[in-house]
Amino acid sequence: MSPRVSLCDVPSVSAAPASWLDTIIKGDCVAALEALPAHSVDVIFADPPYNLQLGGDLMRPDQSMVNAVDDHWDQFASFEAYDAFTRAWLLACRRVLKPNGTIWVIGSYHNIFRVGSSLQDIGYWLLNDIVWRKTNPMPNFRGRRFQNAHETMIWASRDQNAKGYTFNYEALKAANDDVQMRSDWLFPICTGGERLKGDDGKKVHPTQKPEALLARILMASSKPGDVILDPFFGSGTTGAVARRLGRHFVGIEREQEYIDAARARIDAVEPLGKAELTVMTGKRAEPRVAFNVLMESGHIKPGEVLHDARRRHKAIVRADGTIFANGQAGSIHKIGALVQGFDACNGWTFWHTDRSEGLKPIDDLRSIVRADMARAS
Amino acid sequence: MSPRVSLCDVPSVSAAPASWLDTIIKGDCVAALEALPAHSVDVIFADPPYNLQLGGDLMRPDQSMVNAVDDHWDQFASFEAYDAFTRAWLLACRRVLKPNGTIWVIGSYHNIFRVGSSLQDIGYWLLNDIVWRKTNPMPNFRGRRFQNAHETMIWASRDQNAKGYTFNYEALKAANDDVQMRSDWLFPICTGGERLKGDDGKKVHPTQKPEALLARILMASSKPGDVILDPFFGSGTTGAVARRLGRHFVGIEREQEYIDAARARIDAVEPLGKAELTVMTGKRAEPRVAFNVLMESGHIKPGEVLHDARRRHKAIVRADGTIFANGQAGSIHKIGALVQGFDACNGWTFWHTDRSEGLKPIDDLRSIVRADMARAS
DNA sequence: CGTCGTGTTGAATCTTTAG
DNA sequence: TCTAAAGATTCAACACGAC
């Protein structure tokens, strides 16, 4: 845990393990990075402040308050200030990165465009942007925007012409039902037993990342024995996953509270054996097809009339993806319930198209769309 | 199709349709934008050059050549040159945008970070970043990166404090099986019969966007009759979808070949009828009905007791249109908040009448009054 | 031991109108 | 251009107690 190590330009294939390996360095990330040897790190994962720029409090519809990220470390005076901060830590990271090393940075639309531009300006070479799709994101409570259901990660090499960075293409493909791993990943946010909580039962860190996300990142872009650096260590997810996967880690963190929690967490991790390190991960099911998908894919057209199985009721499809009957518009479920006088209805089985083959439930069309999607992917 | 129209600052509610509506303007996009009146456009969709920075030709494993986007319009000498270009057209767009207008920009990791930063620097306010997940993306042939399976769109308002931009939240939600629309969208890329092809059988435009994508964008963020501008019109997907959905369009394009293809394509589009285009709206769009109107119309009488849904609280209606509980009188909202100990409350859904049918929210009475008003008018 | 109902929560740039 | 008031708004998990 001593940040003061002798500077050396050896590409870190030294025999004796460095003293800063598998430790958490307390302090400012730029200063700590500058005390590390150059070209000593294989992969960097960085989860910097997002610069959320929140206004006042936000209330849920039930009048409970949303626990906002309003910590002091997320406050920046301007885009210029945030850019200066971003450039500083990205430059310091680039110095400690091996020539064939890569960096991952995660962010939201508040900051990721600043980060991406800075990466390019500094000389990093973008390899991919990866979308983390959340299975269970927070809703948009006011109904004035789309639900913010993803975050973006940028994967970049140190230089445009960097050769030989690690990318375990074959392993990823094998783990992904023998098709290459895409740039959109589906994971739940970190909740339940994985989420670190203090004695008061409250979450230790406001933005703890799920281990599954880090596991895929490290399995994809590093090898056992590699050195993984996280300049915004927080609750230590990067360290915990690195240790479990047989990688070395270096964390940098300013807050003692986070350091203590991270160290205890990492100490409790049982590293996997060599055999188990081969491969993991897999595809998550995602069969949901909403009614608008049927329209957008051309299987149902605006103006078409839908019937129930006995032709007692009918409804007209509109371009916005709602259907119209009895003077009211709404979802296939709502209108299905309305015309029957019920509280609820499964519109997929209730409503039918009436074409040359006769009445067919619209659920049949959904099956076709699902088959198309499966064949295409 | 005359780019030279007289400059006017009228907010475009002029009686006679402007001559540039539903036309394709030939020329440089910044010059053409500067010839349009200020504050005249509701929604902009822009698909700018991606600045792809491709090195040499890309070969598939079978040594066939990938038909990369290497047109001259996609060549920029440096990030600085691309940024200057980006700022210029984004500034010109901002001038023609109505105060409550919004802009969509689509891009890939090559350019979207430059675009997003420029949007923020210029003063646009980011509303969402939307991920277009492709069901059938091009594979990564080299196996050195993740399959690039998505593109990113940024949705932004003209200013941070812009009020009243169009977002058809309720319709999107209804079409999405009654859950709010997320920021990750799944669509196939444009292929098959939809893809414009020349006499030689080759695709007319290298990056033709699918109509389904534009349809969701326009259904989400515009109304029938709105003006939709596309400064990089290309093969005219924006115009074709706008026409079909009953919106006006303005396209700007430099290449005569694209203009010809787009015009023929748009001319063949059959606009949908008014009924199919009606968008489902929620309570926000309903005329305001104050509580005292319920009393004046006899739907609620002074002295009646209101309850919350679980009969935990009650209040008495007074002749002046206030209600009384816990020793205080005030609006249905204020007293609803008071009895619950909250800062705010929607009294329309909180308070219920208790008559022969049991508890019913007073919002139901408001619906009846609205229906009466509609019938009378 | 389940099931059901209730309550809590997560990186959030989250309203509109009248006066 | 202010402020105050009206009024609109949530999805997937998890935890916990009751039964």
Side-chain angles (χ1 to χ4, degrees), chain B residues 80-112:
Chain B
E80 289 72 25
Y82 189 79
D83 290 345
F85 162 77
T86 301
R87 285 182 62 91
W89 72 260
L90 283 177
L91 277 167
C93 279
R94 194 150 180 268
R95 191 187 67 86
V96 303
L97 205 55
K98 290 184 187 175
N100 63 348
T102 58
I103 185 171
W104 293 79
V105 189
I106 186 169
S108 68
Y109 69 85
H110 305 88
N111 72 323
I112 199 66

PDB file of all heavy atoms in Angstrom, chain B residues 80-112:
ATOM      1  N   GLU B  80     -10.099  18.213 -35.246  1.00  0.00           N
ATOM      2  CA  GLU B  80     -10.388  19.646 -35.224  1.00  0.00           C
ATOM      3  C   GLU B  80     -11.291  20.014 -36.396  1.00  0.00           C
ATOM      4  O   GLU B  80     -12.264  20.760 -36.250  1.00  0.00           O
ATOM      5  CB  GLU B  80      -9.095  20.470 -35.281  1.00  0.00           C
ATOM      6  CG  GLU B  80      -8.268  20.426 -34.004  1.00  0.00           C
ATOM      7  CD  GLU B  80      -7.587  19.082 -33.805  1.00  0.00           C
ATOM      8  OE1 GLU B  80      -7.345  18.367 -34.809  1.00  0.00           O
ATOM      9  OE2 GLU B  80      -7.320  18.713 -32.648  1.00  0.00           O
ATOM     10  N   ALA B  81     -10.946  19.510 -37.580  1.00  0.00           N
ATOM     11  CA  ALA B  81     -11.752  19.820 -38.758  1.00  0.00           C
ATOM     12  C   ALA B  81     -13.166  19.269 -38.589  1.00  0.00           C
ATOM     13  O   ALA B  81     -14.151  19.939 -38.921  1.00  0.00           O
ATOM     14  CB  ALA B  81     -11.096  19.232 -40.006  1.00  0.00           C
ATOM     15  N   TYR B  82     -13.268  18.068 -38.053  1.00  0.00           N
ATOM     16  CA  TYR B  82     -14.594  17.492 -37.863  1.00  0.00           C
ATOM     17  C   TYR B  82     -15.386  18.281 -36.829  1.00  0.00           C
ATOM     18  O   TYR B  82     -16.594  18.513 -36.998  1.00  0.00           O
ATOM     19  CB  TYR B  82     -14.486  16.022 -37.439  1.00  0.00           C
ATOM     20  CG  TYR B  82     -15.827  15.332 -37.453  1.00  0.00           C
ATOM     21  CD1 TYR B  82     -16.385  14.889 -38.650  1.00  0.00           C
ATOM     22  CD2 TYR B  82     -16.555  15.158 -36.283  1.00  0.00           C
ATOM     23  CE1 TYR B  82     -17.638  14.282 -38.679  1.00  0.00           C
ATOM     24  CE2 TYR B  82     -17.803  14.551 -36.299  1.00  0.00           C
ATOM     25  CZ  TYR B  82     -18.339  14.113 -37.496  1.00  0.00           C
ATOM     26  OH  TYR B  82     -19.566  13.521 -37.521  1.00  0.00           O
ATOM     27  N   ASP B  83     -14.719  18.701 -35.763  1.00  0.00           N
ATOM     28  CA  ASP B  83     -15.402  19.500 -34.737  1.00  0.00           C
ATOM     29  C   ASP B  83     -15.898  20.823 -35.306  1.00  0.00           C
ATOM     30  O   ASP B  83     -17.012  21.264 -34.991  1.00  0.00           O
ATOM     31  CB  ASP B  83     -14.452  19.770 -33.562  1.00  0.00           C
ATOM     32  CG  ASP B  83     -14.167  18.522 -32.754  1.00  0.00           C
ATOM     33  OD1 ASP B  83     -14.900  17.525 -32.905  1.00  0.00           O
ATOM     34  OD2 ASP B  83     -13.220  18.539 -31.954  1.00  0.00           O
ATOM     35  N   ALA B  84     -15.069  21.470 -36.128  1.00  0.00           N
ATOM     36  CA  ALA B  84     -15.474  22.752 -36.713  1.00  0.00           C
ATOM     37  C   ALA B  84     -16.704  22.565 -37.598  1.00  0.00           C
ATOM     38  O   ALA B  84     -17.665  23.346 -37.538  1.00  0.00           O
ATOM     39  CB  ALA B  84     -14.321  23.350 -37.504  1.00  0.00           C
ATOM     40  N   PHE B  85     -16.659  21.527 -38.403  1.00  0.00           N
ATOM     41  CA  PHE B  85     -17.806  21.199 -39.249  1.00  0.00           C
ATOM     42  C   PHE B  85     -19.046  20.936 -38.390  1.00  0.00           C
ATOM     43  O   PHE B  85     -20.138  21.449 -38.663  1.00  0.00           O
ATOM     44  CB  PHE B  85     -17.461  19.971 -40.096  1.00  0.00           C
ATOM     45  CG  PHE B  85     -18.632  19.262 -40.684  1.00  0.00           C
ATOM     46  CD1 PHE B  85     -19.289  19.771 -41.794  1.00  0.00           C
ATOM     47  CD2 PHE B  85     -19.093  18.072 -40.130  1.00  0.00           C
ATOM     48  CE1 PHE B  85     -20.380  19.107 -42.339  1.00  0.00           C
ATOM     49  CE2 PHE B  85     -20.179  17.410 -40.661  1.00  0.00           C
ATOM     50  CZ  PHE B  85     -20.827  17.931 -41.774  1.00  0.00           C
ATOM     51  N   THR B  86     -18.868  20.160 -37.330  1.00  0.00           N
ATOM     52  CA  THR B  86     -19.998  19.802 -36.474  1.00  0.00           C
ATOM     53  C   THR B  86     -20.609  21.024 -35.795  1.00  0.00           C
ATOM     54  O   THR B  86     -21.832  21.221 -35.790  1.00  0.00           O
ATOM     55  CB  THR B  86     -19.544  18.782 -35.408  1.00  0.00           C
ATOM     56  OG1 THR B  86     -19.020  17.625 -36.076  1.00  0.00           O
ATOM     57  CG2 THR B  86     -20.695  18.370 -34.508  1.00  0.00           C
ATOM     58  N   ARG B  87     -19.746  21.860 -35.241  1.00  0.00           N
ATOM     59  CA  ARG B  87     -20.255  23.073 -34.580  1.00  0.00           C
ATOM     60  C   ARG B  87     -21.014  23.950 -35.566  1.00  0.00           C
ATOM     61  O   ARG B  87     -22.058  24.525 -35.215  1.00  0.00           O
ATOM     62  CB  ARG B  87     -19.090  23.876 -33.984  1.00  0.00           C
ATOM     63  CG  ARG B  87     -18.502  23.281 -32.731  1.00  0.00           C
ATOM     64  CD  ARG B  87     -17.386  24.192 -32.209  1.00  0.00           C
ATOM     65  NE  ARG B  87     -17.894  25.501 -31.855  1.00  0.00           N
ATOM     66  CZ  ARG B  87     -18.338  25.818 -30.632  1.00  0.00           C
ATOM     67  NH1 ARG B  87     -18.326  24.909 -29.687  1.00  0.00           N
ATOM     68  NH2 ARG B  87     -18.786  27.027 -30.386  1.00  0.00           N
ATOM     69  N   ALA B  88     -20.499  24.047 -36.783  1.00  0.00           N
ATOM     70  CA  ALA B  88     -21.129  24.945 -37.763  1.00  0.00           C
ATOM     71  C   ALA B  88     -22.557  24.502 -38.070  1.00  0.00           C
ATOM     72  O   ALA B  88     -23.495  25.308 -38.031  1.00  0.00           O
ATOM     73  CB  ALA B  88     -20.289  24.986 -39.039  1.00  0.00           C
ATOM     74  N   TRP B  89     -22.746  23.244 -38.355  1.00  0.00           N
ATOM     75  CA  TRP B  89     -24.113  22.847 -38.728  1.00  0.00           C
ATOM     76  C   TRP B  89     -25.029  22.759 -37.512  1.00  0.00           C
ATOM     77  O   TRP B  89     -26.234  23.029 -37.610  1.00  0.00           O
ATOM     78  CB  TRP B  89     -24.119  21.587 -39.585  1.00  0.00           C
ATOM     79  CG  TRP B  89     -23.794  20.281 -38.929  1.00  0.00           C
ATOM     80  CD1 TRP B  89     -22.605  19.625 -38.949  1.00  0.00           C
ATOM     81  CD2 TRP B  89     -24.690  19.426 -38.183  1.00  0.00           C
ATOM     82  NE1 TRP B  89     -22.676  18.447 -38.249  1.00  0.00           N
ATOM     83  CE2 TRP B  89     -23.947  18.296 -37.784  1.00  0.00           C
ATOM     84  CE3 TRP B  89     -26.027  19.518 -37.823  1.00  0.00           C
ATOM     85  CZ2 TRP B  89     -24.512  17.264 -37.035  1.00  0.00           C
ATOM     86  CZ3 TRP B  89     -26.589  18.490 -37.069  1.00  0.00           C
ATOM     87  CH2 TRP B  89     -25.827  17.379 -36.692  1.00  0.00           C
ATOM     88  N   LEU B  90     -24.465  22.436 -36.339  1.00  0.00           N
ATOM     89  CA  LEU B  90     -25.316  22.407 -35.140  1.00  0.00           C
ATOM     90  C   LEU B  90     -25.771  23.816 -34.763  1.00  0.00           C
ATOM     91  O   LEU B  90     -26.914  24.012 -34.321  1.00  0.00           O
ATOM     92  CB  LEU B  90     -24.556  21.768 -33.972  1.00  0.00           C
ATOM     93  CG  LEU B  90     -24.443  20.246 -33.998  1.00  0.00           C
ATOM     94  CD1 LEU B  90     -23.615  19.747 -32.826  1.00  0.00           C
ATOM     95  CD2 LEU B  90     -25.827  19.598 -33.978  1.00  0.00           C
ATOM     96  N   LEU B  91     -24.893  24.790 -34.928  1.00  0.00           N
ATOM     97  CA  LEU B  91     -25.283  26.181 -34.666  1.00  0.00           C
ATOM     98  C   LEU B  91     -26.355  26.638 -35.646  1.00  0.00           C
ATOM     99  O   LEU B  91     -27.348  27.266 -35.259  1.00  0.00           O
ATOM    100  CB  LEU B  91     -24.060  27.095 -34.765  1.00  0.00           C
ATOM    101  CG  LEU B  91     -23.180  27.172 -33.508  1.00  0.00           C
ATOM    102  CD1 LEU B  91     -21.853  27.849 -33.815  1.00  0.00           C
ATOM    103  CD2 LEU B  91     -23.921  27.912 -32.399  1.00  0.00           C
ATOM    104  N   ALA B  92     -26.150  26.317 -36.904  1.00  0.00           N
ATOM    105  CA  ALA B  92     -27.142  26.718 -37.913  1.00  0.00           C
ATOM    106  C   ALA B  92     -28.482  26.038 -37.642  1.00  0.00           C
ATOM    107  O   ALA B  92     -29.551  26.639 -37.827  1.00  0.00           O
ATOM    108  CB  ALA B  92     -26.620  26.375 -39.309  1.00  0.00           C
ATOM    109  N   CYS B  93     -28.441  24.808 -37.185  1.00  0.00           N
ATOM    110  CA  CYS B  93     -29.682  24.104 -36.843  1.00  0.00           C
ATOM    111  C   CYS B  93     -30.382  24.773 -35.666  1.00  0.00           C
ATOM    112  O   CYS B  93     -31.611  24.887 -35.631  1.00  0.00           O
ATOM    113  CB  CYS B  93     -29.374  22.649 -36.484  1.00  0.00           C
ATOM    114  SG  CYS B  93     -29.158  21.569 -37.905  1.00  0.00           S
ATOM    115  N   ARG B  94     -29.595  25.203 -34.712  1.00  0.00           N
ATOM    116  CA  ARG B  94     -30.194  25.779 -33.505  1.00  0.00           C
ATOM    117  C   ARG B  94     -30.958  27.049 -33.832  1.00  0.00           C
ATOM    118  O   ARG B  94     -31.981  27.355 -33.215  1.00  0.00           O
ATOM    119  CB  ARG B  94     -29.090  26.073 -32.481  1.00  0.00           C
ATOM    120  CG  ARG B  94     -29.601  26.361 -31.097  1.00  0.00           C
ATOM    121  CD  ARG B  94     -28.595  25.933 -30.055  1.00  0.00           C
ATOM    122  NE  ARG B  94     -29.086  26.203 -28.719  1.00  0.00           N
ATOM    123  CZ  ARG B  94     -28.846  27.336 -28.062  1.00  0.00           C
ATOM    124  NH1 ARG B  94     -28.130  28.285 -28.640  1.00  0.00           N
ATOM    125  NH2 ARG B  94     -29.323  27.514 -26.853  1.00  0.00           N
ATOM    126  N   ARG B  95     -30.479  27.792 -34.822  1.00  0.00           N
ATOM    127  CA  ARG B  95     -31.163  29.026 -35.198  1.00  0.00           C
ATOM    128  C   ARG B  95     -32.538  28.743 -35.799  1.00  0.00           C
ATOM    129  O   ARG B  95     -33.505  29.454 -35.521  1.00  0.00           O
ATOM    130  CB  ARG B  95     -30.309  29.812 -36.197  1.00  0.00           C
ATOM    131  CG  ARG B  95     -30.810  31.238 -36.455  1.00  0.00           C
ATOM    132  CD  ARG B  95     -30.030  31.896 -37.576  1.00  0.00           C
ATOM    133  NE  ARG B  95     -30.287  31.246 -38.849  1.00  0.00           N
ATOM    134  CZ  ARG B  95     -31.293  31.540 -39.655  1.00  0.00           C
ATOM    135  NH1 ARG B  95     -32.128  32.503 -39.334  1.00  0.00           N
ATOM    136  NH2 ARG B  95     -31.483  30.893 -40.780  1.00  0.00           N
ATOM    137  N   VAL B  96     -32.637  27.720 -36.613  1.00  0.00           N
ATOM    138  CA  VAL B  96     -33.927  27.458 -37.262  1.00  0.00           C
ATOM    139  C   VAL B  96     -34.883  26.679 -36.367  1.00  0.00           C
ATOM    140  O   VAL B  96     -36.072  26.570 -36.675  1.00  0.00           O
ATOM    141  CB  VAL B  96     -33.753  26.692 -38.599  1.00  0.00           C
ATOM    142  CG1 VAL B  96     -32.851  27.466 -39.548  1.00  0.00           C
ATOM    143  CG2 VAL B  96     -33.211  25.299 -38.373  1.00  0.00           C
ATOM    144  N   LEU B  97     -34.386  26.145 -35.268  1.00  0.00           N
ATOM    145  CA  LEU B  97     -35.237  25.350 -34.381  1.00  0.00           C
ATOM    146  C   LEU B  97     -36.151  26.263 -33.564  1.00  0.00           C
ATOM    147  O   LEU B  97     -35.742  27.315 -33.092  1.00  0.00           O
ATOM    148  CB  LEU B  97     -34.341  24.537 -33.438  1.00  0.00           C
ATOM    149  CG  LEU B  97     -34.873  23.253 -32.821  1.00  0.00           C
ATOM    150  CD1 LEU B  97     -35.368  22.285 -33.880  1.00  0.00           C
ATOM    151  CD2 LEU B  97     -33.781  22.603 -31.989  1.00  0.00           C
ATOM    152  N   LYS B  98     -37.404  25.861 -33.418  1.00  0.00           N
ATOM    153  CA  LYS B  98     -38.313  26.590 -32.541  1.00  0.00           C
ATOM    154  C   LYS B  98     -37.807  26.493 -31.097  1.00  0.00           C
ATOM    155  O   LYS B  98     -37.109  25.531 -30.748  1.00  0.00           O
ATOM    156  CB  LYS B  98     -39.719  26.003 -32.624  1.00  0.00           C
ATOM    157  CG  LYS B  98     -40.425  26.263 -33.941  1.00  0.00           C
ATOM    158  CD  LYS B  98     -41.848  25.714 -33.885  1.00  0.00           C
ATOM    159  CE  LYS B  98     -42.520  25.806 -35.244  1.00  0.00           C
ATOM    160  NZ  LYS B  98     -43.857  25.182 -35.246  1.00  0.00           N
ATOM    161  N   PRO B  99     -38.176  27.452 -30.250  1.00  0.00           N
ATOM    162  CA  PRO B  99     -37.713  27.397 -28.854  1.00  0.00           C
ATOM    163  C   PRO B  99     -38.050  26.081 -28.160  1.00  0.00           C
ATOM    164  O   PRO B  99     -37.288  25.614 -27.325  1.00  0.00           O
ATOM    165  CB  PRO B  99     -38.432  28.576 -28.203  1.00  0.00           C
ATOM    166  CG  PRO B  99     -38.680  29.534 -29.310  1.00  0.00           C
ATOM    167  CD  PRO B  99     -38.943  28.680 -30.535  1.00  0.00           C
ATOM    168  N   ASN B 100     -39.170  25.494 -28.518  1.00  0.00           N
ATOM    169  CA  ASN B 100     -39.530  24.217 -27.892  1.00  0.00           C
ATOM    170  C   ASN B 100     -39.272  23.032 -28.829  1.00  0.00           C
ATOM    171  O   ASN B 100     -39.838  21.958 -28.653  1.00  0.00           O
ATOM    172  CB  ASN B 100     -40.995  24.235 -27.451  1.00  0.00           C
ATOM    173  CG  ASN B 100     -41.939  24.384 -28.632  1.00  0.00           C
ATOM    174  OD1 ASN B 100     -41.491  24.699 -29.734  1.00  0.00           O
ATOM    175  ND2 ASN B 100     -43.207  24.163 -28.408  1.00  0.00           N
ATOM    176  N   GLY B 101     -38.414  23.240 -29.801  1.00  0.00           N
ATOM    177  CA  GLY B 101     -38.073  22.158 -30.725  1.00  0.00           C
ATOM    178  C   GLY B 101     -37.004  21.252 -30.155  1.00  0.00           C
ATOM    179  O   GLY B 101     -36.336  21.580 -29.182  1.00  0.00           O
ATOM    180  N   THR B 102     -36.847  20.090 -30.766  1.00  0.00           N
ATOM    181  CA  THR B 102     -35.793  19.165 -30.340  1.00  0.00           C
ATOM    182  C   THR B 102     -35.031  18.649 -31.544  1.00  0.00           C
ATOM    183  O   THR B 102     -35.501  18.725 -32.686  1.00  0.00           O
ATOM    184  CB  THR B 102     -36.358  17.959 -29.560  1.00  0.00           C
ATOM    185  OG1 THR B 102     -37.304  17.252 -30.369  1.00  0.00           O
ATOM    186  CG2 THR B 102     -37.024  18.402 -28.265  1.00  0.00           C
ATOM    187  N   ILE B 103     -33.827  18.153 -31.276  1.00  0.00           N
ATOM    188  CA  ILE B 103     -32.964  17.644 -32.341  1.00  0.00           C
ATOM    189  C   ILE B 103     -32.534  16.221 -32.017  1.00  0.00           C
ATOM    190  O   ILE B 103     -32.329  15.879 -30.844  1.00  0.00           O
ATOM    191  CB  ILE B 103     -31.726  18.555 -32.522  1.00  0.00           C
ATOM    192  CG1 ILE B 103     -30.886  18.100 -33.729  1.00  0.00           C
ATOM    193  CG2 ILE B 103     -30.871  18.590 -31.257  1.00  0.00           C
ATOM    194  CD1 ILE B 103     -29.776  19.073 -34.088  1.00  0.00           C
ATOM    195  N   TRP B 104     -32.487  15.418 -33.055  1.00  0.00           N
ATOM    196  CA  TRP B 104     -31.937  14.068 -32.950  1.00  0.00           C
ATOM    197  C   TRP B 104     -30.687  13.995 -33.833  1.00  0.00           C
ATOM    198  O   TRP B 104     -30.720  14.432 -34.993  1.00  0.00           O
ATOM    199  CB  TRP B 104     -32.929  13.028 -33.475  1.00  0.00           C
ATOM    200  CG  TRP B 104     -34.173  12.862 -32.656  1.00  0.00           C
ATOM    201  CD1 TRP B 104     -35.268  13.673 -32.649  1.00  0.00           C
ATOM    202  CD2 TRP B 104     -34.470  11.803 -31.746  1.00  0.00           C
ATOM    203  NE1 TRP B 104     -36.231  13.191 -31.793  1.00  0.00           N
ATOM    204  CE2 TRP B 104     -35.758  12.035 -31.231  1.00  0.00           C
ATOM    205  CE3 TRP B 104     -33.775  10.669 -31.313  1.00  0.00           C
ATOM    206  CZ2 TRP B 104     -36.365  11.187 -30.311  1.00  0.00           C
ATOM    207  CZ3 TRP B 104     -34.380   9.818 -30.397  1.00  0.00           C
ATOM    208  CH2 TRP B 104     -35.657  10.078 -29.902  1.00  0.00           C
ATOM    209  N   VAL B 105     -29.613  13.411 -33.308  1.00  0.00           N
ATOM    210  CA  VAL B 105     -28.419  13.172 -34.113  1.00  0.00           C
ATOM    211  C   VAL B 105     -28.010  11.721 -33.925  1.00  0.00           C
ATOM    212  O   VAL B 105     -27.976  11.218 -32.796  1.00  0.00           O
ATOM    213  CB  VAL B 105     -27.247  14.095 -33.722  1.00  0.00           C
ATOM    214  CG1 VAL B 105     -26.120  13.967 -34.729  1.00  0.00           C
ATOM    215  CG2 VAL B 105     -27.698  15.534 -33.616  1.00  0.00           C
ATOM    216  N   ILE B 106     -27.730  11.043 -35.021  1.00  0.00           N
ATOM    217  CA  ILE B 106     -27.309   9.641 -34.940  1.00  0.00           C
ATOM    218  C   ILE B 106     -25.843   9.531 -35.332  1.00  0.00           C
ATOM    219  O   ILE B 106     -25.365  10.273 -36.187  1.00  0.00           O
ATOM    220  CB  ILE B 106     -28.186   8.735 -35.843  1.00  0.00           C
ATOM    221  CG1 ILE B 106     -27.830   7.262 -35.629  1.00  0.00           C
ATOM    222  CG2 ILE B 106     -28.063   9.120 -37.315  1.00  0.00           C
ATOM    223  CD1 ILE B 106     -28.815   6.298 -36.274  1.00  0.00           C
ATOM    224  N   GLY B 107     -25.144   8.624 -34.679  1.00  0.00           N
ATOM    225  CA  GLY B 107     -23.735   8.422 -35.006  1.00  0.00           C
ATOM    226  C   GLY B 107     -23.200   7.134 -34.405  1.00  0.00           C
ATOM    227  O   GLY B 107     -23.908   6.415 -33.691  1.00  0.00           O
ATOM    228  N   SER B 108     -21.955   6.847 -34.691  1.00  0.00           N
ATOM    229  CA  SER B 108     -21.282   5.684 -34.136  1.00  0.00           C
ATOM    230  C   SER B 108     -20.141   6.177 -33.239  1.00  0.00           C
ATOM    231  O   SER B 108     -19.948   7.376 -33.077  1.00  0.00           O
ATOM    232  CB  SER B 108     -20.704   4.828 -35.257  1.00  0.00           C
ATOM    233  OG  SER B 108     -19.647   5.523 -35.892  1.00  0.00           O
ATOM    234  N   TYR B 109     -19.391   5.262 -32.675  1.00  0.00           N
ATOM    235  CA  TYR B 109     -18.348   5.693 -31.744  1.00  0.00           C
ATOM    236  C   TYR B 109     -17.271   6.518 -32.425  1.00  0.00           C
ATOM    237  O   TYR B 109     -16.492   7.190 -31.745  1.00  0.00           O
ATOM    238  CB  TYR B 109     -17.733   4.493 -31.018  1.00  0.00           C
ATOM    239  CG  TYR B 109     -16.904   3.566 -31.863  1.00  0.00           C
ATOM    240  CD1 TYR B 109     -15.566   3.819 -32.111  1.00  0.00           C
ATOM    241  CD2 TYR B 109     -17.467   2.415 -32.407  1.00  0.00           C
ATOM    242  CE1 TYR B 109     -14.805   2.947 -32.886  1.00  0.00           C
ATOM    243  CE2 TYR B 109     -16.727   1.555 -33.166  1.00  0.00           C
ATOM    244  CZ  TYR B 109     -15.395   1.813 -33.406  1.00  0.00           C
ATOM    245  OH  TYR B 109     -14.649   0.963 -34.170  1.00  0.00           O
ATOM    246  N   HIS B 110     -17.241   6.509 -33.752  1.00  0.00           N
ATOM    247  CA  HIS B 110     -16.239   7.321 -34.447  1.00  0.00           C
ATOM    248  C   HIS B 110     -16.504   8.808 -34.282  1.00  0.00           C
ATOM    249  O   HIS B 110     -15.566   9.602 -34.243  1.00  0.00           O
ATOM    250  CB  HIS B 110     -16.227   6.966 -35.931  1.00  0.00           C
ATOM    251  CG  HIS B 110     -16.016   5.512 -36.201  1.00  0.00           C
ATOM    252  ND1 HIS B 110     -17.051   4.611 -36.273  1.00  0.00           N
ATOM    253  CD2 HIS B 110     -14.879   4.810 -36.384  1.00  0.00           C
ATOM    254  CE1 HIS B 110     -16.555   3.407 -36.496  1.00  0.00           C
ATOM    255  NE2 HIS B 110     -15.241   3.497 -36.564  1.00  0.00           N
ATOM    256  N   ASN B 111     -17.778   9.175 -34.255  1.00  0.00           N
ATOM    257  CA  ASN B 111     -18.100  10.600 -34.252  1.00  0.00           C
ATOM    258  C   ASN B 111     -19.047  11.047 -33.147  1.00  0.00           C
ATOM    259  O   ASN B 111     -19.152  12.234 -32.878  1.00  0.00           O
ATOM    260  CB  ASN B 111     -18.721  10.984 -35.594  1.00  0.00           C
ATOM    261  CG  ASN B 111     -20.148  10.444 -35.751  1.00  0.00           C
ATOM    262  OD1 ASN B 111     -20.445   9.331 -35.303  1.00  0.00           O
ATOM    263  ND2 ASN B 111     -21.010  11.217 -36.368  1.00  0.00           N
ATOM    264  N   ILE B 112     -19.750  10.113 -32.495  1.00  0.00           N
ATOM    265  CA  ILE B 112     -20.849  10.552 -31.627  1.00  0.00           C
ATOM    266  C   ILE B 112     -20.340  11.310 -30.404  1.00  0.00           C
ATOM    267  O   ILE B 112     -21.044  12.165 -29.859  1.00  0.00           O
ATOM    268  CB  ILE B 112     -21.728   9.345 -31.202  1.00  0.00           C
ATOM    269  CG1 ILE B 112     -23.088   9.838 -30.706  1.00  0.00           C
ATOM    270  CG2 ILE B 112     -21.035   8.498 -30.149  1.00  0.00           C
ATOM    271  CD1 ILE B 112     -23.938  10.494 -31.759  1.00  0.00           C
TER     272      ILE B 112
END
